[in-house]
DNA sequence: AAAAACTGCAACCGCCAGATA
DNA sequence: CTATCTGGCGGTTGCAGTTTT
């Protein structure tokens, strides 16, 4: 352990490079070219190790660097290359002129990875998440079958609260009456489980037609009858419904509110009242725990799929399949 | 207005492999 | 053959700027 051998011999500068240092290095490389990095600091008059000089040149001073935000083409290229090469940043960078491995790595870690997760895609495999993947990722144990074991209440509670209030359910959970009841009772006090989705009503009123129906029936067949639901803000037909505007408003006092943070991805999946829905035009959102009150007004067509998922935070939380009642 | 949380990114660290003494 | 040096790489850290509370 300890600092690299090239840095321990003498007291060398660390941290950000000053413009003066940049100038010295640039002058030296311009005149003598890239050669033996270990001798560069001495000849260039820098109190840095050769390794640091090399890095500064490669990542910042090199004249052929592109800089600036990544284009859509570059982004697509990175995604494709990462799918094939994994975290081999140097090899990926070699395919993107003017970009450094460090730059691409940073871009991946701060942006692309999150974008994929948001779309329900595992950034490691570039394939859609499964319950198993997700549980593994978050180190939460799920049970393969309901007959073998039943998760303890504490574990369930953990599952319900982890990830900033998110829940993750495997279908096997739903097979057990105990778990189902627990979840149903949870839903009565946890607005994240079933989000009241109407504006201008008392959010503590869980006797809305949507929720009442949910509570009356078994979870797996408890989807609201879409045909019967027709609020002035949300109109539903037999196999689709319209959410007209998803906007957020601050709600610091109302602990029962939850809601959306508008996003712009078309095709984004999110959960609405127990159903997995997909935006056709963009303006849908992701859950925010106890942060905002959901209000629904203007036009954005949303289709309903038959796979229930649950987006909380930035993450696809569950995959529970059932048939949508037509 | 201040503090806390978040984000982006430059730079560092340790490891490894190849070159050299 | 072994030890040391060096450059290259990927993972991680820490800082500065920005946003949110």
């Amino acid at each position: 352990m300890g600092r690299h051998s090239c840095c321990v011999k003498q007291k060398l500068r660390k941290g950000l490079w000053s413009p003066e240092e940049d100038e010295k290095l640039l002058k030296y490389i311009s005149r003598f070219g890239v050669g033996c990095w270990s001798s560069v600091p001495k000849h260039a008059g820098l109190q840095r190790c050769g390794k640091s000089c090399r890095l500064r040149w490669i990542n910042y001073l090199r004249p052929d660097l592109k800089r600036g935000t990544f284009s859509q083409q570059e982004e697509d290229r990175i995604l494709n290359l990462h799918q094939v090469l994994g975290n081999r940043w140097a090899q990926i960078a070699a395919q993107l002129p003017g970009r450094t491995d460090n730059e691409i790595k940073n871009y991946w870690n701060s942006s692309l990875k999150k974008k994929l997760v948001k779309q329900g895609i595992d950034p490691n495999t570039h394939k859609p998440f499964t319950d198993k993947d997700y549980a593994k990722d978050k180190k939460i144990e799920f049970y393969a079958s309901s007959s073998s074991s039943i998760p303890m209440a504490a574990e369930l509670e953990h599952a319900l609260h982890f990830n900033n209030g998110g829940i993750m359910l495997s279908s096997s959970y739903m097979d057990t009456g105990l778990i189902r009841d627990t979840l149903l009772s949870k839903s009565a006090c946890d607005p994240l489980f079933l989000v009241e989705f109407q504006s201008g009503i008392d959010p503590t009123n869980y006797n809305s037609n949507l929720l009442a129906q949910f509570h009356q029936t078994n979870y797996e067949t408890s989807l609201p009858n879409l045909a019967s639901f027709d609020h002035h803000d949300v109109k539903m037909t037999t196999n689709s419904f319209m959410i007209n505007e998803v906007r957020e408003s601050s709600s610091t006092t109302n602990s029962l509110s939850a809601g959306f943070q508008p996003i712009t991805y078309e095709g984004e999946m999110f959960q609405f009242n127990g159903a997995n829905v997909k935006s056709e035009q963009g303006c849908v959102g992701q859950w925010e725990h106890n942060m905002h009150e959901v209000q629904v007004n203007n036009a954005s067509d949303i289709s309903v799929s038959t796979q229930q998922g649950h987006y909380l935070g930035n993450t696809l939380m569950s995959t529970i399949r059932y048939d949508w009642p037509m």
Side-chain angles (χ1 to χ4, degrees):
Chain A
M1 297 291 270
R3 203 176 293 178
H4 192 264
S5 57
C6 70
C7 304
V8 285
K9 288 174 185 168
Q10 37 186 309
K11 227 181 180 181
L12 298 173
R13 261 179 63 83
K14 287 175 69 180
L16 297 178
W17 281 63
S18 68
E20 291 75 26
E21 288 178 305
D22 279 345
E23 200 186 331
K24 281 182 182 176
L25 182 58
L26 193 57
K27 254 183 187 169
Y28 178 84
I29 301 293
S30 303
R31 191 168 172 202
F32 300 104
V34 174
C36 177
W37 285 110
S38 58
S39 64
V40 166
K42 188 182 165 193
H43 293 128
L46 290 161
Q47 299 293 105
R48 298 268 180 177
C49 70
K51 218 174 174 178
S52 180
C53 294
R54 176 186 159 271
L55 212 64
R56 185 62 178 170
W57 172 258
I58 288 172
N59 288 336
Y60 189 79
L61 295 174
R62 242 170 61 196
D64 59 329
L65 288 179
K66 202 179 254 180
R67 308 254 175 84
T69 53
F70 284 82
S71 68
Q72 188 58 51
Q73 285 81 0
E74 286 178 309
E75 186 178 315
D76 293 343
R77 192 134 179 75
I78 293 169
L79 286 169
N80 290 335
L81 288 166
H82 188 272
Q83 190 166 8
V84 178
L85 298 168
N87 293 358
R88 295 191 184 98
W89 306 116
Q91 288 184 42
I92 293 172
Q95 305 294 320
L96 284 124
R99 300 295 187 181
T100 69
D101 55 351
N102 207 36
E103 196 178 11
I104 294 168
K105 180 171 58 184
N106 282 335
Y107 185 52
W108 173 265
N109 286 326
S110 63
S111 177
L112 287 182
K113 209 157 113 180
K114 290 174 189 168
K115 205 180 259 187
L116 287 180
V117 169
K118 218 171 190 177
Q119 292 168 0
I121 295 168
D122 184 341
N124 297 314
T125 63
H126 291 258
K127 289 173 182 164
F129 274 121
T130 65
D131 276 5
K132 220 176 177 181
D133 291 336
Y134 200 80
K136 195 178 158 194
D137 184 44
K138 294 295 174 191
K139 295 183 175 60
I140 288 184
E141 192 176 345
F142 281 77
Y143 294 81
S145 94
S146 58
S147 57
S148 59
S149 55
I150 293 172
M152 301 298 288
E155 287 174 313
L156 188 57
E157 196 71 9
H158 185 175
L160 285 164
H161 281 102
F162 105 91
N163 194 23
N164 200 24
I167 64 168
M168 174 164 62
L169 311 170
S170 71
S171 55
S172 60
Y173 274 22
M174 296 294 100
D175 293 336
T176 71
L178 170 64
I179 302 307
R180 189 190 63 230
D181 292 347
T182 308
L183 290 170
L184 288 176
S185 69
K186 187 72 188 172
S187 73
C189 59
D190 186 345
L192 282 169
F193 191 77
L194 291 170
V195 177
E196 183 49 83
F197 210 68
Q198 298 164 309
S199 61
I201 67 163
D202 176 2
T204 62
N205 175 15
Y206 274 85
N207 291 322
S208 73
N209 52 353
L210 278 171
L211 299 182
Q213 282 184 38
F214 186 96
H215 283 259
Q216 281 166 11
T217 53
N218 175 286
Y219 183 85
E220 286 177 308
T221 57
S222 64
L223 278 167
N225 181 345
L226 295 182
S228 73
F229 181 68
D230 188 354
H231 186 265
H232 72 279
D233 287 331
V234 182
K235 298 192 188 311
M236 290 187 176
T237 62
T238 51
N239 59 5
S240 68
F241 62 88
M242 302 279 287
I243 293 182
N244 293 327
E245 169 198 31
V246 179
R247 71 183 170 87
E248 54 184 348
S249 62
S250 294
S251 178
T252 52
T253 55
N254 180 4
S255 65
L256 283 172
S257 69
F260 288 110
Q261 189 172 48
I263 56 170
T264 55
Y265 300 116
E266 282 190 23
E268 181 82 5
M269 303 295 289
F270 73 102
Q271 190 186 39
F272 174 77
N273 216 54
N276 202 30
V277 296
K278 184 175 184 177
S279 165
E280 300 290 343
Q281 294 181 356
C283 185
V284 294
Q286 69 188 67
W287 302 114
E288 281 262 311
H289 180 43
N290 286 349
M291 296 293 286
H292 303 97
E293 185 172 353
V294 172
Q295 298 188 348
V296 185
N297 294 314
N298 286 329
S300 170
D301 202 355
I302 292 176
S303 66
V304 179
S305 79
T306 56
Q307 179 173 1
Q308 180 177 350
H310 207 110
Y311 266 96
L312 288 163
N314 292 326
T315 314
L316 177 66
M317 301 299 293
S318 74
T319 53
I320 305 168
R321 295 196 73 90
Y322 53 79
D323 294 321
W324 191 267
M326 294 297 179

